[in-house]
Amino acid sequence: MTINHHLTDDLIRSYSAGILPEAMDLIVATHISLCDECRAALCAQDAVGGAVLERARGEAVSDACLDRTLALIRGSDRAAGPARDTRKPDAPHDPVLPAPLRDYVGGSADAIRWRPVGMGVKQAVLRTKGDAKARLLRIPAGAAMPDHSHRGIELTMVLKGAYSDADGRYARGDIEIAHEDLHHTPVADVGEDCICLAVNEGPLRFKGILPRLAQPFLGI
Amino acid sequence: RPTEGVAADWIDVIIRIRDHRDETAFVTLFRHFAPRVKAFLMRSGADAALAEECAQDVMATVWHKAAQFDPTRASVATWIFTIARNRKIDVLRRQRRPEPEDLPWGPEHEPDQADAIGLQQESEHLGEAIASLPRKQRELIEKAYFGELSHTEIAQQTGLPLGTIKSRIRLALERLRHAMDRS
Ligand SMILES: [Zn+2]
Ligand SMILES: [Zn+2]
């Protein structure tokens, strides 16, 4: 799989620092699940975090704190036995949803609870905390999303199929970063329905009168 | 006792914890990292008591997850940083932390020695590069990674030589994928 559109360095850095809203963490983790390029970039950013921690001035920790920690590790070793690699292999691989998305959907792609939002487009809002919103979108083959712009940044990652807009073509794994000023009409390829994960910092603004009426139903 | 900042020595400490449940090794690790983790959490907004409690949890996690540490992808300091950061998100921001799908792995995967050594060396170079920066820039980087800058403010700080460490990790990932394909 060749990915042509990647995360930006400052998104990866912010994910590493742990300062993004949950919905943005989700799309970053989803892209990195499929992209070794950005996975390596994240490891590099984490390495800076490690180097900073290593050299930071510490705050004195009491002996009582060490004693409590020792009690903690002895107690749980007695309960659980010695260290093993306790990670469970990820649930059976899903051709559409990488592991972080499966956690939010509660299963594989057939577990997604789609709701129609008009013009054949369906969506499923994912529960996340914080200022940004995450949802899965399903655009019928050959169909278009209503023309819209964004109040904040919008990140879209393709999971299945592909779409094109004025800026290019996006296929599985690709991530599009649309800024405030971008007006666009993504159109799905004719071959198959396009499923993507979209994260918005602020509400979308639609151009036509009909989509504007539909906005409350979209919940965005 | 590991010399300050020598990444490879900390790996020995983790291996002693992993293979022998060595409490002396753990105490050494604790004395070095717990105060730093506490400072990290206090700068993120925790009070001293909460920060100490979190530092306790972070260090206990290191003990329990010692078998998951992969020296081809992180130094010990980096690994502890990621555990502390996740604890911060959990406790202070009360939000979930979606993590990338792990690469295929298994007990048969033995980390490649050359990859591990290369990464530890790069980590040390990175540490030295940060230490030699002008004070203002160093403080900015500290703030960025200690969560004191917003997403938009963070965009401004760069200038670290991340290219080599990134290609090291990339190489290790490729080898891992290759090994998985064969098995
Ligand atoms: Zn990427
Ligand atoms: Zn858009």
Side-chain angles (χ1 to χ4, degrees), chain B:
Chain B
R1 190 199 163 88
T3 327
E4 188 99 351
V6 177
D9 293 349
W10 288 119
I11 294 180
D12 289 339
V13 170
I14 296 291
I15 289 171
R16 265 151 59 203
I17 291 172
R18 184 189 71 190
D19 294 347
H20 308 294
R21 308 267 83 188
D22 182 338
E23 280 193 11
T24 314
F26 181 77
V27 170
T28 309
L29 191 77
F30 184 97
R31 290 204 192 283
H32 184 75
F33 283 105
R36 290 167 166 85
V37 171
K38 183 180 174 187
F40 168 69
L41 286 149
M42 287 180 74
R43 288 180 66 169
S44 307
D47 63 27
L50 180 62
E52 232 176 62
E53 202 184 306
C54 289
Q56 231 166 269
D57 293 340
V58 168
M59 297 312 293
T61 303
V62 168
W63 174 270
H64 295 306
K65 296 196 170 167
Q68 291 175 20
F69 172 68
D70 181 351
T72 66
R73 280 193 262 174
S75 70
V76 172
T78 297
W79 185 50
I80 295 177
F81 166 75
T82 59
I83 295 170
R85 173 205 57 211
N86 290 0
R87 192 78 193 127
K88 174 191 87 174
I89 293 171
D90 188 22
V91 171
L92 294 181
R93 304 191 56 203
R94 294 172 186 285
Q95 89 187 21
R96 279 169 79 179
R97 168 76 174 184
E99 291 282 350
E101 185 165 325
D102 219 335
L103 291 177
W105 58 274
E108 71 282 357
H109 162 58
E110 267 302 311
D112 186 289
Q113 201 64 16
D115 283 342
I117 293 167
L119 181 74
Q120 302 311 316
Q121 282 169 346
E122 283 310 324
S123 302
E124 272 171 53
H125 290 163
L126 189 62
E128 286 156 17
I130 292 172
S132 65
L133 287 172
R135 191 172 57 91
K136 273 211 152 142
Q137 202 185 342
R138 210 175 53 227
E139 282 172 1
L140 201 63
I141 289 174
E142 232 179 68
K143 281 186 175 169
Y145 285 88
F146 280 14
E148 291 171 276
L149 296 183
S150 73
H151 172 54
T152 34
E153 286 166 325
I154 222 172
Q156 297 154 13
Q157 73 83 24
T158 44
L160 283 170
L162 291 184
T164 41
I165 198 164
K166 200 178 129 179
S167 44
R168 280 267 170 216
I169 297 160
R170 186 72 216 253
L171 190 68
L173 292 175
E174 267 162 28
R175 287 208 192 132
L176 178 60
R177 290 243 189 241
H178 190 66
M180 292 306 153
D181 289 346
R182 270 180 324 195
S183 62

Side-chain angles (χ1 to χ4, degrees), chain A residues 6-7 31 35 38:
Chain A
H6 296 274
L7 296 163
H31 177 81
C35 178
C38 291

Side-chain angles (χ1 to χ4, degrees), chain A residues 72-117:
Chain A
L72 211 59
I73 63 177
R74 285 174 194 149
S76 45
D77 264 13
R78 262 198 305 278
R84 271 163 294 123
D85 194 339
T86 51
R87 285 174 295 185
K88 293 186 289 294
D90 285 311
H93 185 74
D94 182 90
V96 180
L97 304 182
L101 271 182
R102 288 201 298 275
D103 284 349
Y104 278 77
V105 165
S108 61
D110 8 288
I112 302 170
R113 295 222 297 270
W114 294 110
R115 304 255 185 279
V117 288

Side-chain angles (χ1 to χ4, degrees), chain A residues 11 13 36-37 43 56 61 67 76 83 101-103 105 120 138 145-146 172 193 201 208 213:
Chain A
L11 264 174
R13 194 178 301 124
D36 282 355
E37 187 67 38
C43 291
V61 164
D67 290 342
S76 45
L101 271 182
R102 288 201 298 275
D103 284 349
V105 165
R138 184 182 190 120
M145 266 286 279
R172 179 167 167 83
D193 289 3
E201 244 180 359
L213 285 173

